[in-house]
Amino acid sequence: MKCKVFKIHLENDYSEIKLNEFLETVTLNQVFASIVSSETSFWSVLVLYEDKIASSAEKQPRLEATETPYTPDTFAPALTKQTVPKREVTPVDFAPEPVK
């Protein structure tokens, strides 16, 4: 993820146009904006983004990169259920220790 800061001056539309052009070229993650009060007040805009080329490459299925696709049968021998001998439970197993 990358970040970029824009200053958008209230009396100037040029910086707003630059921001809009930039947003068309990236995949937007988050935006934080705050007004900065000074002699010349402006908006400070923090944009968190990813490049469109990188983000589209990451969305491709990863199965294409593997040589052998895995199926549930691939792991079946390792996942065989082991049987545990059953033990009969009696009320004595749950009885508390006698108080002396």
Side-chain angles (χ1 to χ4, degrees):
M1 185 177 341
K2 297 180 180 180
C3 67
K4 187 165 183 160
V5 177
F6 290 90
K7 287 171 88 173
I8 299 179
H9 299 280
L10 302 178
E11 67 279 344
N12 183 356
D13 287 342
Y14 177 71
S15 52
E16 188 176 330
I17 293 169
K18 282 180 54 177
L19 173 62
N20 288 331
E21 289 174 351
F22 174 77
L23 291 175
E24 289 176 357
T25 64
V26 297
T27 302
L28 183 65
N29 287 344
Q30 269 185 314
V31 175
F32 300 95
S34 179
I35 195 156
V36 178
S37 298
S38 64
E39 274 185 34
T40 57
S41 297
F42 60 91
W43 281 95
S44 176
V45 181
L46 173 65
V47 178
L48 301 175
Y49 69 96
E50 293 178 18
D51 293 327
K52 279 195 176 180
I53 297 169
S55 63
S56 63
E58 290 174 4
K59 291 180 184 177
Q60 292 179 350
R62 301 212 185 256
L63 185 59
E64 294 175 3
T66 61
E67 293 178 15
T68 307
Y70 291 106
T71 63
D73 297 335
T74 306
F75 297 107
L79 299 176
T80 56
K81 188 175 182 181
Q82 296 179 357
T83 57
V84 178
K86 292 187 177 181
R87 184 176 87 108
E88 194 171 311
V89 178
T90 61
V92 176
D93 292 336
F94 297 105
E97 293 284 327
V99 179
K100 295 183 181 182

